[in-house]
Amino acid sequence: MINVTIDGIKTSVPEGSTILKAAESIGVKIPTLCNHPDQAVKGNCRVCVCEVEGSRLLSAACVMPVWEGMAVKTRTPKVVEARKTILELILSNHPQDCLNCIRNQNCELQTLAEEYFIRDNPFSQKTRGMAKDYSTPALFRDPDKCILCRRCVEACSVVQSVNALGLDQRGHHAMVVPTMGWDLIDSPCVMCGQCIHACPVGAIGEVEEIDRLLAAIADPDTVVVTQIAPAVRVAIGEEVGLATGDMPMDVFAAGLRQIGFDYVLHTNFTADLTILEEGNELLKRLQEGGTLPMFTSCSPGWINFCETFYPDLLDNLSTCKSPQQMFGALAKTYWAEKSNIDPAKIYSVSIMPCTAKKYECSRPEMNDSGFRDVDLVLTTREIGRLFRMSGIDFDKLAGSHFDSWMGAYTGAAVIFGASGGVMEAALRTVYEVVTGQTLENVNFEVTRGIQGIKEAEVDLNGTVVKVAIANGLSNARQLMDEVRAGTSPYHFIEIMACPGGCIGGGGQPITKSNAKRVERINQIYVEDEACEIRKSHENPEVKAIYEEFLHEPLGHQSHHLLHTHYTAKNKKVL
Amino acid sequence: MAEEMRIVLRNYGKIDPLNIDEYIAAGGYKALEKAKGMNQIDLIEEVKKSNLRGRGGAGFNCGQKWFFANQANADQKYVVCNADEGEPGTYKDRLIMQGDPQSVLEGMAVCAYAIGANKGFIYCRGEYPYVVDILNQAIDQAKAKGVLGDFDIEVRMGAGAYVCGEETALIESIEGHRGEPRFKPPFPGVEGLWGKPTIINNVETFANIPVIVEKGADWYASIGAPSYPGTKVLTLTGDINNKTFFEVPTSTTIKEVVYELGGGVAGGKKFKAVQIGGTSGGFIPESLLDTTISFDAMSAIGATLGSGAVFVMDETRDMVDVVSKITKFFEHESCGKCAPCREGTARMNELVGKIKGGQGSSADITLLKKLGGVMSIACLCGLGQAAPAPVLTTLGHFAADYEDKLV
Ligand SMILES: Cc1cc2nc3c(=O)[nH]c(=O)nc-3n(C[C@H](O)[C@H](O)[C@H](O)COP(=O)(O)O)c2cc1C
Ligand code: SF4
Ligand code: SF4
Ligand code: SF4
Ligand code: SF4
Ligand code: FES
């Protein structure tokens, strides 16, 4: 342990601690901008500078390690002047656009501007005047708001191994730019949205489409139907002042009805359905010598990644559409028929933790219902905005039921929201299908948790099936490289593009740290435990759809509506 | 009377730089042989005791730095010679490499032995392609003679950015990355090139080494200013009669440099200011000319010795005009990594330009001072920290030049 004095308070901290960590441990808060709890230290914004006794220079608290006997002062006039001047410098090259900004009231720079009472900035306003980039259907970039902290670059290169963002130019002209071209769409970007979470300001965000929903709701001839993805519920509370996990599903549904959705259904229904289709697909591949390992296909950021970086492995992808797209195809066929609604009038909206879903629903092949299967994808954050706009008091709102035919779900669908959940759900079903025995303990603990790569072995009547799970695309890359090299020992691999799985998706409430992701994961399993039915094949509505409409997994209707194909992206990559 | 004393330029003009035999005949590679006969720690102690301090600008004790790298446990260590020499008005490293390249190689080889490295790089300024040729020839000859033993040296061409002379940016550049400084610690001596312990010294620093090894620490420590012993190569530019170079003991005063060696201000004009150490050097008025050029004496007056460039300005020069070129230089050379330098150098240039254009007010002067003060203590690397020095020192010593232009 190292003895240090911070603002006169003596403490001892582990060797290698930074001033920032040491200060944190005694409750001294030092402002930061470029620092990110799960990333390498950057030391580039300099707002964390402090005085260290004996040093002429100020020290950046986020990078400077403490030494024995170090005396630090974090709030002297010199320190305050430096921090304030640096903030003024940053702000003088930053649009004064808070009122119009997607990060208004959720912006690290804005918070610091408030804390340091920036009033009359002595530096003249001069922004770069760069155009916004709306080239992708999922994300926009507003490079003028970029403060060059580089957190997005690390998220994209280190966490996701996509390398869609890089630095260009030097000095005052330095900027973060898409690689391989001027617009994000030219880059290998997979639209995972992890850069949004990394960004302290409003320089990257989801493409907002709330107005399209409001227009659909306003149209009396349109039937607005919604589906909620498994990961949304645990996080939506964060958007409306509740704790993580603190929004009961029935209250959430009631809130959506308040906004004006005509029918509230659930992606969890198609998550259960996915298990039936995908589980059988796996068994078929195992029995008939199909391409193995089979990869899950419910994460559209991952699909983009595979199509971009591993086009040679597309045959390994399960042909199952994602639950969102299965839902879309069924809502305008099966559900429309059961509900006696003209599918042409249905406006199908999905509420997703994901930015890549906005792209997925726009894929040209996603129209098997005869219409565009999913008309609109709104992220958890956009729904949060709608809830706030609507002034709903969730404490006083009485719960409401989900609508029939595609609203029932099991615990197995709930856990789709977390990394390992699809695998666990599949194992719960595949085990019973293969062995014909009842699975007493449905909890496969090894598949759970935020660690990047997990693996397990399951004995199915004497056949040992080896499975692996990866979350975060750099972890996926490790498994893919093994597959490409022919050294992968697995039969089945679950990949989710985002760290922690969908609960950490690019459309979730801004999540600066993995600690928050872990909290959400824990809530997912609490919800699973609370479900009466926890195996997908026991979902009564899933049973019903097979009896009445699909007839059998991998059957003719399934093939038509629930399965898809993949295409190499042929993009230039770094 | 100030006199030259040639240590690093001992062979300059005396031997054929492209003939290693002449270097050897002049006593070359004896020091390396002697060094290799010594225990590594004793060798480092000797260098430490000589109190040789880095000639690249930061003035760190050379032996001390080597000691850290010696102590670091690693399968691979590197020696890097910083020959980026990007300071406008500075060409002393070029003189040394052109006139006596073997002395640099020998200095590097001594260092390699001391720290246990077998690989070296010379990072040579991009604008010196002819020097690269000389270095490569010198290396080939040394290899052919076998004088370097198993120590291999490779020349790398600089990326053309001023900041790449900063040691960590230089490392990034050699590694093939964007030439941007890294945060220190870890220092290169512990984690440098490809994460391995790396000694980076300036050309002039290395050229001193063979002489120190040969003649001993005590001899060296007795030359010049005790806290910064030895000599310094100075290159004189600007409004001065003798626009040339000199190597002088560090106890020489600025006055002696300007008036005796430099022959005084050109054209019979009156002296106004001298800037020493390159673009980021402080401006020194007449009243401070009795300061010696040693590192600490210069620091004490808010100036630097830096690279040893001496830029003399006569009475006709307008300080705001001179400084405006400097602020423009730094706006251009900021790498853009850290906020106070990226934004600050541009604002500084804007404010100085505003004043120069007759649009400035006293509030702008106040702001310049605040900005300069913050940059000099808060920027990530030496570039941003030193960039305000010309502005701050001229605001201090030549305030009238600014005030005359205020609205
Ligand atoms: C902006 C900047 C530019 C620099 N340029 C050079 C240079 O061109 N040559 C050099 O030797 N040192 C340069 N330095 C200093 C190096 O970072 C480093 O301190 C030096 O190479 C160490 O060698 P020394 O101890 O022998 O002086 C520069 C430093 C800064 C901050
Ligand atoms: S990024 Fe932050 S500071 Fe900038 S305009 Fe948006 S809310 Fe305001
Ligand atoms: S969305 Fe994902 S892939 Fe695209 S730039 Fe952001 S982090 Fe990179
Ligand atoms: S876009 Fe955001 S995260 Fe990326 S460098 Fe700019 S401010 Fe930082
Ligand atoms: S001080 Fe300037 S040159 Fe140095 S790291 Fe910061 S921006 Fe780059
Ligand atoms: S938070 Fe420390 S430099 Fe940015």
Side-chain angles (χ1 to χ4, degrees):
Chain A
M1 298 294 273
I2 305 276
N3 297 300
V4 291
T5 310
I6 298 172
D7 296 332
I9 305 166
K10 285 193 166 54
T11 183
S12 58
V13 293
E15 197 175 335
S17 303
T18 59
I19 294 177
L20 185 68
K21 286 258 160 61
E24 222 168 66
S25 73
I26 55 160
V28 171
K29 187 185 152 217
I30 295 171
T32 60
L33 262 182
C34 66
N35 190 60
H36 185 290
D38 306 319
Q39 293 192 359
V41 287
K42 316 247 172 325
N44 62 42
C45 77
R46 318 301 289 174
V47 301
C48 64
V49 287
C50 296
E51 267 191 77
V52 172
E53 204 174 86
S55 171
R56 181 187 73 83
L57 300 172
L58 299 180
S59 294
C62 67
V63 267
M64 182 61 93
V66 295
W67 61 75
E68 182 59 36
M70 183 189 240
V72 185
K73 290 195 176 125
T74 74
R75 21 174 109 110
T76 63
K78 192 163 150 184
V79 164
V80 171
E81 181 180 56
R83 289 180 189 163
K84 203 168 167 171
T85 305
I86 293 166
L87 284 171
E88 286 167 348
L89 283 168
I90 293 173
L91 288 165
S92 68
N93 184 6
H94 187 88
Q96 311 288 293
D97 193 34
C98 297
L99 291 180
N100 303 306
C101 185
I102 196 163
R103 293 293 288 271
N104 191 10
Q105 301 194 42
N106 189 7
C107 169
E108 294 180 38
L109 179 60
Q110 190 189 52
T111 303
L112 284 183
E114 195 281 326
E115 287 173 3
Y116 280 76
F117 58 101
I118 305 296
R119 296 290 180 265
D120 298 309
N121 193 331
F123 300 106
S124 61
Q125 266 299 304
K126 215 182 240 178
T127 53
R128 281 158 282 197
M130 286 161 71
K132 290 185 190 172
D133 176 351
Y134 271 99
S135 61
T136 81
L139 295 93
F140 73 88
R141 292 184 64 248
D142 187 353
D144 255 12
K145 285 187 182 148
C146 174
I147 58 165
L148 286 154
C149 70
R150 309 184 180 192
R151 282 161 35 172
C152 59
V153 178
E154 180 164 336
C156 193
S157 60
V158 178
V159 180
Q160 298 298 59
S161 75
V162 171
N163 292 308
L165 299 171
L167 282 145
D168 195 23
Q169 311 278 5
R170 301 176 63 80
H172 198 49
H173 302 286
M175 54 189 165
V176 168
V177 290
T179 53
M180 323 310 285
W182 188 250
D183 290 326
L184 194 56
I185 197 73
D186 306 325
S187 79
C189 173
V190 300
M191 300 180 221
C192 66
Q194 288 309 309
C195 49
I196 299 177
H197 289 299
C199 186
V201 297
I204 322 176
E206 66 279 18
V207 171
E208 288 178 293
E209 297 173 290
I210 296 172
D211 288 339
R212 291 181 56 198
L213 171 69
L214 295 178
I217 288 173
D219 181 352
D221 286 338
T222 299
V223 179
V224 186
V225 175
T226 191
Q227 54 166 318
I228 308 171
V232 177
R233 188 203 66 85
V234 290
I236 185 68
E238 297 166 22
E239 286 286 320
V240 291
L242 303 175
T244 299
D246 255 12
M247 169 85 79
M249 197 48 118
D250 59 336
V251 176
F252 188 8
L256 293 172
R257 291 193 198 281
Q258 294 276 316
I259 290 176
F261 285 100
D262 296 315
Y263 291 90
V264 181
L265 301 172
H266 220 303
T267 319
N268 281 1
F269 167 78
T270 35
D272 279 331
L273 193 60
T274 299
I275 290 305
L276 276 281
E277 293 291 325
E278 200 164 276
N280 280 293
E281 185 186 358
L282 175 65
L283 292 175
K284 191 166 178 223
R285 289 193 191 209
L286 286 168
Q287 284 154 10
E288 297 177 6
T291 309
L292 290 173
M294 186 175 89
F295 309 151
T296 58
S297 57
C298 39
S299 166
W302 149 240
I303 297 296
N304 291 343
F305 184 79
C306 197
E307 289 177 326
T308 306
F309 295 93
Y310 295 91
D312 49 321
L313 301 182
L314 295 181
D315 287 345
N316 294 68
L317 279 170
S318 160
T319 59
C320 287
K321 286 181 183 171
S322 72
Q324 157 172 297
Q325 294 304 140
M326 285 194 184
F327 182 101
L330 291 173
K332 293 188 184 181
T333 51
Y334 169 70
W335 184 84
E337 205 182 306
K338 297 273 299 180
S339 311
N340 204 12
I341 293 172
D342 176 3
K345 291 191 169 170
I346 294 178
Y347 192 73
S348 175
V349 180
S350 64
I351 300 172
M352 291 286 140
C354 180
T355 42
K357 291 274 177 201
K358 285 182 184 269
Y359 163 77
E360 184 187 42
C361 81
S362 73
R363 281 179 174 253
E365 66 272 23
M366 294 298 178
N367 56 3
D368 293 325
S369 63
F371 305 90
R372 178 159 153 165
D373 294 338
V374 173
D375 294 289
L376 180 67
V377 172
L378 295 179
T379 59
T380 311
R381 288 195 293 275
E382 288 170 280
I383 290 298
R385 267 167 224 136
L386 271 165
F387 279 161
R388 295 197 296 274
M389 184 179 85
S390 308
I392 298 168
D393 183 344
F394 285 94
D395 285 338
K396 300 213 169 97
L397 192 64
S400 155
H401 288 292
F402 281 79
D403 289 297
S404 297
W405 310 122
M406 289 171 62
Y409 59 89
T410 72
V414 168
I415 59 176
F416 263 59
S419 166
V422 176
M423 182 61 71
E424 181 169 351
L427 293 177
R428 289 179 188 176
T429 288
V430 168
Y431 182 88
E432 295 204 349
V433 170
V434 175
T435 64
Q437 290 163 1
T438 305
L439 184 64
E440 293 305 335
N441 178 10
V442 299
N443 298 328
F444 288 85
E445 299 284 344
V446 282
T447 64
R448 301 181 183 181
I450 197 169
Q451 67 270 34
I453 295 178
K454 293 164 278 189
E455 49 175 14
E457 284 185 7
V458 198
D459 190 340
L460 299 175
N461 253 1
T463 315
V464 174
V465 174
K466 290 188 172 192
V467 303
I469 299 153
N471 67 84
L473 292 171
S474 60
N475 297 314
R477 189 179 278 276
Q478 283 187 38
L479 297 181
M480 290 309 111
D481 285 344
E482 281 177 19
V483 176
R484 187 177 265 171
T487 58
S488 178
Y490 307 111
H491 301 99
F492 188 27
I493 298 180
E494 177 207 290
I495 309 270
M496 296 192 190
C498 297
C502 308
I503 52 85
Q508 292 282 64
I510 296 298
T511 315
K512 197 173 158 186
S513 75
N514 282 335
K516 179 52 90 182
R517 292 182 160 99
V518 169
E519 243 184 85
R520 292 182 191 152
I521 290 173
N522 294 339
Q523 288 300 320
I524 285 272
Y525 294 103
V526 169
E527 191 179 345
D528 170 33
E529 291 275 354
C531 286
E532 252 168 63
I533 308 176
R534 296 176 67 194
K535 297 166 195 159
S536 296
H537 55 285
E538 294 176 0
N539 181 331
E541 289 186 350
V542 168
K543 287 183 185 169
I545 198 173
Y546 277 113
E547 275 163 28
E548 299 173 23
F549 185 70
L550 296 171
H551 307 305
E552 55 171 340
L554 310 181
H556 175 73
Q557 276 289 40
S558 294
H559 181 76
H560 173 54
L561 292 172
L562 308 183
H563 290 259
T564 187
H565 59 274
Y566 308 100
T567 322
K569 289 252 190 277
N570 292 319
K571 281 195 164 194
K572 275 189 260 165
V573 299
L574 271 182
Chain B
M1 181 68 197
E3 270 187 46
E4 268 214 87
M5 175 172 186
R6 292 199 166 186
I7 293 178
V8 300
L9 295 175
R10 57 194 177 276
N11 293 323
Y12 185 87
K14 292 189 189 155
I15 63 169
D16 175 1
L18 293 180
N19 185 343
I20 190 172
D21 292 330
E22 293 196 20
Y23 180 71
I24 291 170
Y29 285 109
K30 281 211 184 95
L32 178 58
E33 208 183 307
K34 179 174 171 190
K36 283 185 173 169
M38 293 167 76
N39 169 297
Q40 288 169 312
I41 295 295
D42 292 344
L43 170 63
I44 291 173
E45 273 309 313
E46 192 72 9
V47 175
K48 213 196 269 182
K49 207 167 75 176
S50 78
N51 210 2
L52 169 66
R53 292 168 64 182
R55 297 308 198 236
F60 196 82
N61 183 296
C62 182
Q64 185 66 43
K65 186 149 95 178
W66 290 14
F67 182 72
F68 292 135
N70 170 285
Q71 295 297 297
N73 232 326
D75 53 348
Q76 174 79 58
K77 297 181 187 179
Y78 297 101
V79 175
V80 175
C81 174
N82 189 341
D84 197 46
E85 192 152 70
E87 266 318 335
T90 304
Y91 55 93
K92 51 117 184 158
D93 293 340
R94 173 172 59 87
L95 292 174
I96 296 166
M97 292 185 287
Q98 275 183 310
D100 194 12
Q102 296 293 348
S103 69
V104 181
L105 304 188
E106 187 176 2
M108 288 177 73
V110 172
C111 175
Y113 169 72
I115 67 165
N118 62 11
K119 176 84 193 170
F121 292 92
I122 302 178
Y123 187 83
C124 186
R125 179 173 189 198
E127 288 86 343
Y128 291 167
Y130 47 97
V131 177
V132 173
D133 288 345
I134 293 171
L135 289 169
N136 277 327
Q137 285 187 50
I139 292 167
D140 287 346
Q141 289 180 13
K143 274 186 190 156
K145 276 264 183 265
V147 284
L148 296 178
D150 66 350
F151 180 52
D152 180 53
I153 304 180
E154 202 180 304
V155 183
R156 289 289 176 95
M157 195 94 126
Y162 174 74
V163 76
C164 286
E166 195 282 335
E167 56 192 6
T168 56
L170 186 154
I171 288 172
E172 292 285 328
S173 176
I174 293 185
E175 290 180 1
H177 304 142
R178 215 176 132 86
E180 283 180 347
R182 294 178 187 168
F183 175 79
K184 294 181 276 192
F187 288 91
V190 180
E191 259 178 58
L193 258 185
W194 296 293
K196 303 295 182 190
T198 302
I199 283 301
I200 302 182
N201 278 128
N202 174 252
V203 172
E204 188 179 350
T205 312
F206 278 128
N208 269 298
I209 295 292
V211 190
I212 291 171
V213 172
E214 210 185 315
K215 300 196 177 170
D218 294 334
W219 168 81
Y220 190 83
S222 69
I223 300 163
S227 69
Y228 187 86
T231 57
K232 184 78 192 78
V233 183
L234 306 175
T235 49
L236 276 52
T237 58
D239 310 322
I240 190 147
N241 279 316
N242 304 332
K243 285 199 190 59
T244 180
F245 62 91
F246 298 98
E247 182 176 352
V248 293
T250 52
S251 51
T252 311
T253 66
I254 306 170
K255 194 178 262 166
E256 288 169 330
V257 172
V258 173
Y259 288 100
E260 297 181 19
L261 301 165
V265 179
K269 300 224 177 68
K270 277 196 0 217
F271 173 92
K272 182 157 183 180
V274 59
Q275 184 192 26
I276 298 184
T279 331
S280 61
F283 282 50
I284 300 161
E286 185 139 35
S287 60
L288 296 172
L289 289 187
D290 285 325
T291 312
T292 65
I293 60 158
S294 83
F295 190 88
D296 303 285
M298 296 289 281
S299 298
I301 62 162
T304 47
L305 173 57
S307 63
V310 178
F311 175 57
V312 177
M313 286 154 277
D314 71 27
E315 56 186 331
T316 66
R317 298 261 193 171
D318 171 42
M319 291 299 110
V320 181
D321 184 53
V322 177
V323 164
S324 71
K325 295 192 175 77
I326 294 172
T327 54
K328 193 170 174 155
F329 174 83
F330 282 117
E331 175 179 2
H332 186 253
E333 294 298 342
S334 164
C335 80
K337 180 169 179 174
C338 76
C341 171
R342 179 180 68 239
E343 309 296 340
T345 48
R347 294 306 174 165
M348 194 159 252
N349 187 41
E350 175 188 272
L351 287 164
V352 169
K354 189 175 167 196
I355 294 165
K356 187 182 156 199
Q359 306 290 312
S361 65
S362 60
D364 293 320
I365 302 274
T366 311
L367 186 56
L368 261 183
K369 285 182 180 164
K370 175 173 103 158
L371 175 60
V374 168
M375 284 174 67
S376 61
I377 55 175
C379 282
L380 184 136
C381 89
L383 187 146
Q385 289 158 11
V391 176
L392 295 176
T393 50
T394 49
L395 278 168
H397 299 306
F398 305 96
D401 282 23
Y402 288 85
E403 278 153 17
D404 288 349
K405 297 181 181 61
L406 300 184
V407 286

